Amino acid sequence: MDQERKVILGMKHRGIICALLALITSPVCAATLSGVPRILDGNTIEIEHTNVRLSGIGAPETDQICLDAQGRRWACGVAARDELIKHSNGRTWDCHTQRADEYRRALGSCFIEGENVNAWMVRSGWALSAGASRHTYSVYELVASTAHAGLWSGAFIAPWDWPRRNRGTIIVGATLVPIDAQEVLLGSDLLSEPPSPECLIKGTLERSGERIYHLPGQPSYDQIDMTKRRGERWLCSEAEAEATGWRKAVR
């Protein structure tokens, strides 16, 4: 009887913990979410009022620039997001989440009519296998690189290296990387203009480490020089900014 009571109390205790944590980083306990998502970038969606990051993969953020097969710049981050939107085509997603990341996004795998979206992103060349479970999708990365699909059609910086790129950053690609690839992809002028006409929000990294975003029309907006490379980046929507840890400037 005492043992049974302990089990019941333990279950109640776990339920209370999950409920409390859910108020902070919803959802942190295992959950299944279903619906037509709002796709914020190649990694992040909003479904059932919950931000979800596709786990086990790394897609370029919307400000990332790559080189195409002819060595020309292109907004590969925006392209990755748009290809995911096109593939989704207004269909219902089923997402299975387990825990939350540092930006309070639920981490999980998502499916469209039984197809694993995480795997599709890597297989189509719009993301790389990443993180502790990268082995799950590494075979799809080989398929994409061999087919010169998506990002692999030219040269690029791994998505996780893009925000902190420097002279030591490795440029990757399926074929020979252009000799001037590093110079082009590390140039400060990449940030001088938004990657897309829709991506006009300026994100700045404060000395405290806090991420602040500034909207066109705010007094602070025109004062920001995006070429200083201190963590600045362009963002395409407030929803994207807030889902990835940015806070709106007060003025």
Side-chain angles (χ1 to χ4, degrees):
M1 192 66 172
D2 288 343
Q3 183 63 31
E4 183 179 352
R5 182 176 299 172
K6 288 180 180 179
V7 171
I8 293 173
L9 288 174
M11 292 174 66
K12 287 183 178 180
H13 186 250
R14 181 180 182 278
I16 291 171
I17 290 175
C18 286
L20 290 173
L21 288 175
L23 294 174
I24 305 172
T25 55
S26 177
V28 293
C29 298
T32 298
L33 307 169
S34 296
V36 177
R38 179 181 183 182
I39 297 169
L40 305 178
D41 63 28
N43 262 346
T44 310
I45 67 165
E46 181 187 345
I47 185 170
E48 286 194 14
H49 307 292
T50 300
N51 292 322
V52 176
R53 186 193 188 283
L54 303 180
S55 60
I57 71 171
E61 295 182 334
T62 52
D63 70 321
Q64 184 163 344
I65 302 298
C66 300
L67 300 181
D68 64 15
Q70 286 73 47
R72 298 171 300 197
R73 305 177 191 177
W74 65 299
C76 56
V78 171
R81 181 204 61 187
D82 291 348
E83 288 298 322
L84 183 55
I85 292 173
K86 187 188 303 182
H87 184 66
S88 177
N89 195 30
R91 292 181 291 173
T92 296
W93 289 35
D94 297 305
C95 296
H96 307 293
T97 65
Q98 295 295 328
R99 56 189 178 86
D101 70 2
E102 59 183 315
Y103 303 127
R104 299 184 179 182
R105 295 175 295 184
L107 295 170
S109 298
C110 295
F111 300 81
I112 303 176
E113 298 174 358
E115 177 188 50
N116 188 318
V117 178
N118 305 45
W120 181 85
M121 284 292 288
V122 178
R123 187 174 67 249
S124 300
W126 298 113
L128 305 184
S129 57
S133 57
R134 65 178 302 162
H135 61 279
T136 305
Y137 303 111
S138 57
V139 64
Y140 299 116
E141 187 175 306
L142 178 60
V143 169
S145 62
T146 301
H148 299 180
L151 306 177
W152 296 101
S153 62
F156 61 97
I157 292 172
W160 46 86
D161 287 334
W162 176 256
R164 56 177 183 273
R165 58 195 182 279
N166 55 52
R167 289 296 171 185
T169 301
I170 297 174
I171 312 296
V172 297
T175 55
L176 292 176
V177 175
I179 192 169
D180 63 342
Q182 189 178 64
E183 179 182 352
V184 173
L185 293 178
L186 296 180
S188 62
D189 62 317
L190 282 184
L191 290 174
S192 62
E193 297 294 333
S196 168
E198 68 179 281
C199 304
L200 299 178
I201 299 174
K202 293 180 177 180
T204 60
L205 186 65
E206 303 299 298
R207 290 184 178 179
S208 63
E210 187 176 16
R211 296 175 161 201
I212 305 295
Y213 70 87
H214 310 256
L215 300 175
Q218 287 188 293
S220 58
Y221 187 84
D222 291 331
Q223 301 172 14
I224 299 169
D225 181 356
M226 295 295 284
T227 65
K228 290 187 177 180
R229 290 273 303 277
R230 294 176 304 188
E232 287 81 0
R233 64 155 293 188
W234 295 95
L235 296 149
C236 302
S237 70
E238 288 192 79
E240 176 197 5
E242 291 170 2
T244 50
W246 300 80
R247 180 178 63 79
K248 185 177 179 180
V250 294
R251 61 181 180 84

